[in-house]
Amino acid sequence: MKPTIDFWFDFASSYSYPAAMRIDELAEQSGVKVNWRPFLLGPIFVGQGWRDSPFNLYPLKGRYMWRDLERICARESLPLRRPEPFPQNSLLAARCAMAIDPADRPAFAKAIFAAEFGEGDGIDDRATIARALAAVGLTEEPLARAKTDAIKQALRAETDEAKRLELFGAPSFVTQDGELFWGNDRLQDAIAWAVRRWI
Amino acid sequence: MKPTIDFWFDFASSYSYPAAMRIDELAEQSGVKVNWRPFLLGPIFVGQGWRDSPFNLYPLKGRYMWRDLERICARESLPLRRPEPFPQNSLLAARCAMAIDPADRPAFAKAIFAAEFGEGDGIDDRATIARALAAVGLTEEPLARAKTDAIKQALRAETDEAKRLELFGAPSFVTQDGELFWGNDRLQDAIAWAVRRWI
């Protein structure tokens, strides 16, 4: 048993990219276990009356986000190439993440994020997903299983759980005692909280 | 001449409170000059289709903000008491800030923020503003001058400048080379940027 944070992310979420690329190292330094939990922001945004990313609905905020992400990626030495269109449709990638062994999920997710925001690749493209699976030593079998009812239902259940937790954006972090932190810039705070509240 | 950041704030903005209470000390440690620039977010929110604070329009986000602000204030040893209603009408306080000498503006602004978010006082109440003026050694004369066309126009010009700078929220920080940082959590980044880009 260790202090734990649930890392809730949507593959379409731009700020989830730098969070995904550094969370494991930061958490390990603090002895914190990370559960990688993909979900879909779309249904949650619809609940807020948004049919598109707020970064598209509010162009000033969108322009700022891309500049802010440039600065963050420069600081973290992460490549950044904006995928077109933004946001990407993350449904297939999220279902694939559910279809693989949870132990492989972090490496797969990082490969998807690196393709999408590091290379600008489309992640609704089966070829992109197949390359990510291959990069972490997996076959294409999860791509087929992604279409089964069991996997569709598993992802729906995760998105329902995200709603129950009152998540409204990504990335979000929830510590073992239920404290919610939202945004890449709250990652270190979430880890510190998990450690402090560990008995 | 020193590296400089413009600190754009709305007295109604919750996250502007912790930013206001620590910006001078942080900036001084780095040799950065701060220009305190009050403006009104209302007209900018209206431009985004919002007739209320996004923290009221999106209740999940609002609930999270108050919890997040609790954590931030605990860390900074700042008292926190939610003003009712939220957001407060910040027009009179902002006009008073424009009516006083810029050298007195930081102390006056901190007194207003401390009353509003530390004590829960209404800042559209002339008595609250008079107490803030007295606390920094000023008479009530700015309260009278706040209603003149010159002061109304001065605040309008600042809000127009905020629009021209494409600000969409508060607090915002703009460095001497025009780089925009949004949010209390970007304060240190803004200061570091101003220093790094100083020639």
Side-chain angles (χ1 to χ4, degrees):
Chain A
M1 295 288 284
K2 291 165 101 174
T4 302
I5 58 178
D6 283 4
F7 168 37
W8 290 90
F9 62 95
D10 184 319
F11 283 112
S13 151
S14 51
Y15 283 114
S16 292
Y17 167 49
M21 301 316 265
R22 64 204 183 100
I23 190 170
D24 281 336
E25 191 182 338
L26 287 172
E28 198 184 338
Q29 287 165 4
S30 297
V32 171
K33 181 181 181 319
V34 180
N35 296 323
W36 287 61
R37 304 189 70 166
F39 74 114
L40 296 181
L41 264 176
I44 287 171
F45 281 172
V46 166
Q48 298 180 167
W50 296 336
R51 304 254 157 205
D52 192 356
S53 163
F55 295 127
N56 292 337
L57 294 171
Y58 306 108
L60 296 183
K61 207 164 187 165
R63 274 202 288 280
Y64 174 78
M65 179 276 285
W66 288 112
R67 177 62 181 145
D68 192 44
L69 194 61
E70 269 181 7
R71 293 189 301 238
I72 291 167
C73 288
R75 189 175 65 206
E76 306 288 338
S77 301
L78 290 171
L80 177 61
R81 189 162 160 196
R82 181 173 170 162
E84 294 292 348
F86 174 82
Q88 290 281 302
N89 183 334
S90 56
L91 181 62
L92 183 59
R95 285 180 179 163
C96 276
M98 295 306 296
I100 64 179
D101 188 301
D104 292 322
R105 211 168 275 158
F108 171 73
K110 283 182 247 191
I112 291 289
F113 276 121
E116 180 186 18
F117 290 105
E119 309 288 335
D121 294 345
I123 61 163
D124 57 348
D125 182 342
R126 293 173 59 89
T128 302
I129 294 178
R131 277 197 301 277
L133 288 166
V136 299
L138 299 174
T139 68
E140 293 189 19
E141 184 267 350
L143 262 172
R145 267 208 316 132
K147 304 234 158 133
T148 62
D149 283 344
I151 292 301
K152 289 179 182 176
Q153 188 45 43
L155 180 60
R156 238 178 261 130
E158 284 293 87
T159 299
D160 287 345
E161 175 67 3
K163 281 183 195 164
R164 197 191 63 77
L165 291 168
E166 305 200 334
L167 306 193
F168 54 90
S172 289
F173 314 99
V174 180
T175 61
Q176 73 273 349
D177 59 331
E179 192 75 14
L180 169 63
F181 295 83
W182 168 55
N184 173 60
D185 43 32
R186 293 293 190 282
L187 172 53
Q188 282 96 329
D189 289 345
I191 291 171
W193 187 282
V195 170
R196 207 158 57 239
R197 294 300 173 100
W198 180 247
I199 312 162
Chain B
M1 296 288 285
K2 290 166 101 175
T4 302
I5 58 178
D6 283 4
F7 168 37
W8 290 89
F9 61 96
D10 184 319
F11 283 112
S13 151
S14 51
Y15 282 114
S16 292
Y17 167 48
M21 301 316 265
R22 64 203 182 99
I23 190 170
D24 281 337
E25 191 182 335
L26 287 172
E28 198 183 340
Q29 287 166 4
S30 297
V32 170
K33 181 181 181 319
V34 180
N35 296 323
W36 287 61
R37 303 189 70 167
F39 75 113
L40 296 181
L41 264 177
I44 288 171
F45 282 172
V46 166
Q48 296 179 171
W50 296 337
R51 303 257 157 203
D52 193 354
S53 163
F55 296 127
N56 293 337
L57 295 172
Y58 306 108
L60 296 183
K61 207 163 186 165
R63 273 202 289 282
Y64 174 79
M65 179 275 285
W66 288 111
R67 178 61 182 143
D68 191 44
L69 195 61
E70 269 180 7
R71 293 190 301 237
I72 291 167
C73 288
R75 189 175 65 205
E76 307 289 338
S77 300
L78 291 171
L80 177 62
R81 189 163 161 195
R82 180 173 170 162
E84 294 291 349
F86 174 83
Q88 289 282 301
N89 183 332
S90 56
L91 180 62
L92 183 59
R95 284 180 180 164
C96 277
M98 295 307 296
I100 64 179
D101 189 301
D104 292 323
R105 210 166 277 159
F108 170 73
K110 283 182 247 192
I112 290 290
F113 276 120
E116 180 186 18
F117 290 105
E119 308 289 334
D121 293 345
I123 60 163
D124 57 348
D125 183 341
R126 293 174 59 89
T128 302
I129 294 177
R131 277 198 301 277
L133 288 166
V136 300
L138 299 173
T139 68
E140 294 189 18
E141 184 267 349
L143 262 172
R145 267 209 314 132
K147 303 233 160 134
T148 62
D149 283 344
I151 292 301
K152 289 180 182 176
Q153 188 45 43
L155 180 60
R156 238 178 261 129
E158 284 293 87
T159 299
D160 286 346
E161 175 67 3
K163 282 184 195 163
R164 197 191 63 77
L165 292 168
E166 305 200 334
L167 306 194
F168 55 90
S172 289
F173 314 99
V174 180
T175 61
Q176 73 273 349
D177 59 331
E179 192 75 12
L180 168 63
F181 294 83
W182 169 55
N184 173 61
D185 44 30
R186 294 294 190 279
L187 172 53
Q188 283 96 330
D189 290 345
I191 291 171
W193 186 282
V195 170
R196 208 160 55 241
R197 294 300 173 100
W198 179 248
I199 310 161

Short mmCIF file of all heavy atoms in Angstrom, two decimals, chain A residues 160-186:
data_model
loop_
_atom_site.label_atom_id
_atom_site.label_comp_id
_atom_site.label_asym_id
_atom_site.label_seq_id
_atom_site.Cartn_x
_atom_site.Cartn_y
_atom_site.Cartn_z
N ASP A 160 -18.63 7.73 -16.44
CA ASP A 160 -19.65 7.92 -15.41
C ASP A 160 -19.01 8.18 -14.04
O ASP A 160 -19.50 9.01 -13.26
CB ASP A 160 -20.57 6.69 -15.32
CG ASP A 160 -21.53 6.61 -16.50
OD1 ASP A 160 -21.67 7.63 -17.22
OD2 ASP A 160 -22.12 5.53 -16.71
N GLU A 161 -17.94 7.47 -13.75
CA GLU A 161 -17.24 7.67 -12.48
C GLU A 161 -16.63 9.08 -12.43
O GLU A 161 -16.67 9.75 -11.38
CB GLU A 161 -16.16 6.60 -12.30
CG GLU A 161 -15.27 6.76 -11.09
CD GLU A 161 -15.98 6.57 -9.74
OE1 GLU A 161 -17.18 6.25 -9.74
OE2 GLU A 161 -15.32 6.77 -8.70
N ALA A 162 -16.11 9.53 -13.56
CA ALA A 162 -15.56 10.90 -13.61
C ALA A 162 -16.66 11.92 -13.32
O ALA A 162 -16.44 12.91 -12.60
CB ALA A 162 -14.94 11.16 -14.99
N LYS A 163 -17.86 11.68 -13.84
CA LYS A 163 -18.99 12.58 -13.56
C LYS A 163 -19.33 12.54 -12.08
O LYS A 163 -19.60 13.57 -11.45
CB LYS A 163 -20.23 12.15 -14.36
CG LYS A 163 -20.21 12.58 -15.81
CD LYS A 163 -21.53 12.16 -16.48
CE LYS A 163 -21.40 12.24 -17.99
NZ LYS A 163 -22.46 11.49 -18.69
N ARG A 164 -19.35 11.32 -11.51
CA ARG A 164 -19.68 11.17 -10.10
C ARG A 164 -18.67 11.93 -9.23
O ARG A 164 -19.02 12.51 -8.20
CB ARG A 164 -19.68 9.68 -9.72
CG ARG A 164 -20.40 9.35 -8.41
CD ARG A 164 -20.14 7.91 -7.97
NE ARG A 164 -18.74 7.64 -7.69
CZ ARG A 164 -18.09 8.01 -6.58
NH1 ARG A 164 -18.71 8.67 -5.63
NH2 ARG A 164 -16.79 7.73 -6.43
N LEU A 165 -17.43 11.95 -9.67
CA LEU A 165 -16.38 12.66 -8.93
C LEU A 165 -16.41 14.16 -9.19
O LEU A 165 -15.58 14.91 -8.67
CB LEU A 165 -15.00 12.11 -9.33
CG LEU A 165 -14.70 10.69 -8.87
CD1 LEU A 165 -13.44 10.15 -9.57
CD2 LEU A 165 -14.51 10.64 -7.35
N GLU A 166 -17.37 14.60 -10.04
CA GLU A 166 -17.54 16.02 -10.38
C GLU A 166 -16.34 16.60 -11.12
O GLU A 166 -16.05 17.80 -11.03
CB GLU A 166 -17.85 16.85 -9.12
CG GLU A 166 -19.06 16.33 -8.37
CD GLU A 166 -19.68 17.36 -7.44
OE1 GLU A 166 -18.97 18.27 -6.98
OE2 GLU A 166 -20.91 17.25 -7.18
N LEU A 167 -15.66 15.75 -11.91
CA LEU A 167 -14.59 16.27 -12.76
C LEU A 167 -15.22 17.14 -13.84
O LEU A 167 -16.31 16.85 -14.34
CB LEU A 167 -13.80 15.12 -13.41
CG LEU A 167 -13.21 14.06 -12.48
CD1 LEU A 167 -12.20 13.20 -13.24
CD2 LEU A 167 -12.55 14.67 -11.26
N PHE A 168 -14.52 18.20 -14.20
CA PHE A 168 -15.04 19.12 -15.22
C PHE A 168 -13.98 19.45 -16.26
O PHE A 168 -14.20 20.27 -17.15
CB PHE A 168 -15.56 20.41 -14.58
CG PHE A 168 -14.52 21.06 -13.71
CD1 PHE A 168 -13.64 21.98 -14.24
CD2 PHE A 168 -14.40 20.71 -12.37
CE1 PHE A 168 -12.65 22.57 -13.45
CE2 PHE A 168 -13.40 21.29 -11.57
CZ PHE A 168 -12.54 22.22 -12.11
N GLY A 169 -12.80 18.83 -16.15
CA GLY A 169 -11.73 19.11 -17.10
C GLY A 169 -10.63 18.07 -16.94
O GLY A 169 -10.70 17.21 -16.06
N ALA A 170 -9.61 18.19 -17.78
CA ALA A 170 -8.50 17.24 -17.72
C ALA A 170 -7.20 17.99 -18.02
O ALA A 170 -7.22 18.97 -18.76
CB ALA A 170 -8.70 16.13 -18.74
N PRO A 171 -6.10 17.57 -17.41
CA PRO A 171 -6.02 16.44 -16.51
C PRO A 171 -6.58 16.78 -15.14
O PRO A 171 -6.56 17.93 -14.72
CB PRO A 171 -4.51 16.18 -16.42
CG PRO A 171 -3.90 17.54 -16.58
CD PRO A 171 -4.78 18.22 -17.60
N SER A 172 -7.10 15.74 -14.45
CA SER A 172 -7.51 15.89 -13.06
C SER A 172 -6.83 14.80 -12.25
O SER A 172 -6.55 13.71 -12.76
CB SER A 172 -9.03 15.77 -12.93
OG SER A 172 -9.68 16.91 -13.46
N PHE A 173 -6.55 15.13 -11.01
CA PHE A 173 -5.89 14.19 -10.11
C PHE A 173 -6.73 14.05 -8.86
O PHE A 173 -7.18 15.06 -8.30
CB PHE A 173 -4.49 14.70 -9.73
CG PHE A 173 -3.70 15.19 -10.92
CD1 PHE A 173 -3.62 16.54 -11.21
CD2 PHE A 173 -3.08 14.29 -11.78
CE1 PHE A 173 -2.92 17.01 -12.32
CE2 PHE A 173 -2.37 14.73 -12.89
CZ PHE A 173 -2.30 16.11 -13.16
N VAL A 174 -6.97 12.81 -8.43
CA VAL A 174 -7.74 12.58 -7.21
C VAL A 174 -6.88 11.72 -6.28
O VAL A 174 -6.44 10.63 -6.67
CB VAL A 174 -9.09 11.89 -7.51
CG1 VAL A 174 -9.87 11.66 -6.22
CG2 VAL A 174 -9.91 12.72 -8.49
N THR A 175 -6.64 12.21 -5.08
CA THR A 175 -5.79 11.49 -4.13
C THR A 175 -6.58 10.40 -3.42
O THR A 175 -7.81 10.35 -3.53
CB THR A 175 -5.21 12.46 -3.08
OG1 THR A 175 -6.30 13.04 -2.36
CG2 THR A 175 -4.40 13.56 -3.75
N GLN A 176 -5.89 9.54 -2.68
CA GLN A 176 -6.54 8.41 -2.02
C GLN A 176 -7.62 8.85 -1.04
O GLN A 176 -8.54 8.11 -0.75
CB GLN A 176 -5.51 7.49 -1.31
CG GLN A 176 -4.91 8.04 -0.02
CD GLN A 176 -3.67 8.91 -0.28
OE1 GLN A 176 -3.15 8.95 -1.38
NE2 GLN A 176 -3.20 9.61 0.76
N ASP A 177 -7.53 10.10 -0.56
CA ASP A 177 -8.56 10.58 0.37
C ASP A 177 -9.60 11.45 -0.34
O ASP A 177 -10.37 12.16 0.31
CB ASP A 177 -7.93 11.34 1.55
CG ASP A 177 -7.10 12.54 1.10
OD1 ASP A 177 -6.57 12.51 -0.03
OD2 ASP A 177 -7.00 13.52 1.86
N GLY A 178 -9.61 11.40 -1.68
CA GLY A 178 -10.70 12.03 -2.42
C GLY A 178 -10.51 13.50 -2.75
O GLY A 178 -11.45 14.16 -3.21
N GLU A 179 -9.32 14.03 -2.55
CA GLU A 179 -9.08 15.44 -2.86
C GLU A 179 -8.85 15.60 -4.37
O GLU A 179 -8.06 14.87 -4.96
CB GLU A 179 -7.86 15.93 -2.07
CG GLU A 179 -7.67 17.42 -2.06
CD GLU A 179 -8.65 18.17 -1.16
OE1 GLU A 179 -9.31 17.52 -0.32
OE2 GLU A 179 -8.76 19.40 -1.31
N LEU A 180 -9.55 16.58 -4.95
CA LEU A 180 -9.47 16.80 -6.40
C LEU A 180 -8.54 17.96 -6.73
O LEU A 180 -8.63 19.04 -6.12
CB LEU A 180 -10.87 17.11 -6.94
CG LEU A 180 -10.97 17.64 -8.38
CD1 LEU A 180 -10.47 16.61 -9.39
CD2 LEU A 180 -12.43 18.03 -8.69
N PHE A 181 -7.67 17.73 -7.68
CA PHE A 181 -6.80 18.78 -8.22
C PHE A 181 -6.98 18.80 -9.73
O PHE A 181 -6.95 17.75 -10.37
CB PHE A 181 -5.32 18.50 -7.88
CG PHE A 181 -5.02 18.56 -6.41
CD1 PHE A 181 -5.26 17.47 -5.59
CD2 PHE A 181 -4.51 19.72 -5.85
CE1 PHE A 181 -4.99 17.52 -4.23
CE2 PHE A 181 -4.23 19.78 -4.49
CZ PHE A 181 -4.48 18.69 -3.68
N TRP A 182 -7.15 19.98 -10.29
CA TRP A 182 -7.40 20.10 -11.73
C TRP A 182 -6.28 20.86 -12.41
O TRP A 182 -5.91 21.94 -11.95
CB TRP A 182 -8.72 20.84 -11.97
CG TRP A 182 -8.94 21.26 -13.39
CD1 TRP A 182 -8.91 20.45 -14.49
CD2 TRP A 182 -9.21 22.58 -13.87
NE1 TRP A 182 -9.15 21.19 -15.63
CE2 TRP A 182 -9.33 22.50 -15.27
CE3 TRP A 182 -9.35 23.82 -13.25
CZ2 TRP A 182 -9.60 23.62 -16.06
CZ3 TRP A 182 -9.61 24.93 -14.03
CH2 TRP A 182 -9.75 24.83 -15.42
N GLY A 183 -5.75 20.26 -13.47
CA GLY A 183 -4.80 20.97 -14.31
C GLY A 183 -3.37 20.49 -14.13
O GLY A 183 -2.94 20.14 -13.03
N ASN A 184 -2.65 20.50 -15.25
CA ASN A 184 -1.25 20.13 -15.25
C ASN A 184 -0.46 20.87 -14.18
O ASN A 184 0.43 20.32 -13.55
CB ASN A 184 -0.67 20.43 -16.64
CG ASN A 184 0.82 20.25 -16.72
OD1 ASN A 184 1.32 19.16 -16.49
ND2 ASN A 184 1.53 21.32 -17.02
N ASP A 185 -0.83 22.12 -13.92
CA ASP A 185 -0.07 22.93 -12.95
C ASP A 185 -0.38 22.56 -11.51
O ASP A 185 0.21 23.14 -10.60
CB ASP A 185 -0.30 24.43 -13.18
CG ASP A 185 -1.75 24.76 -13.46
OD1 ASP A 185 -2.64 24.05 -12.92
OD2 ASP A 185 -2.03 25.71 -14.21
N ARG A 186 -1.29 21.61 -11.30
CA ARG A 186 -1.57 21.17 -9.94
C ARG A 186 -1.01 19.76 -9.66
O ARG A 186 -1.27 19.18 -8.61
CB ARG A 186 -3.08 21.13 -9.67
CG ARG A 186 -3.76 22.51 -9.66
CD ARG A 186 -3.30 23.35 -8.49
NE ARG A 186 -4.12 24.56 -8.34
CZ ARG A 186 -3.97 25.66 -9.08
NH1 ARG A 186 -3.05 25.72 -10.03
NH2 ARG A 186 -4.76 26.71 -8.87
#
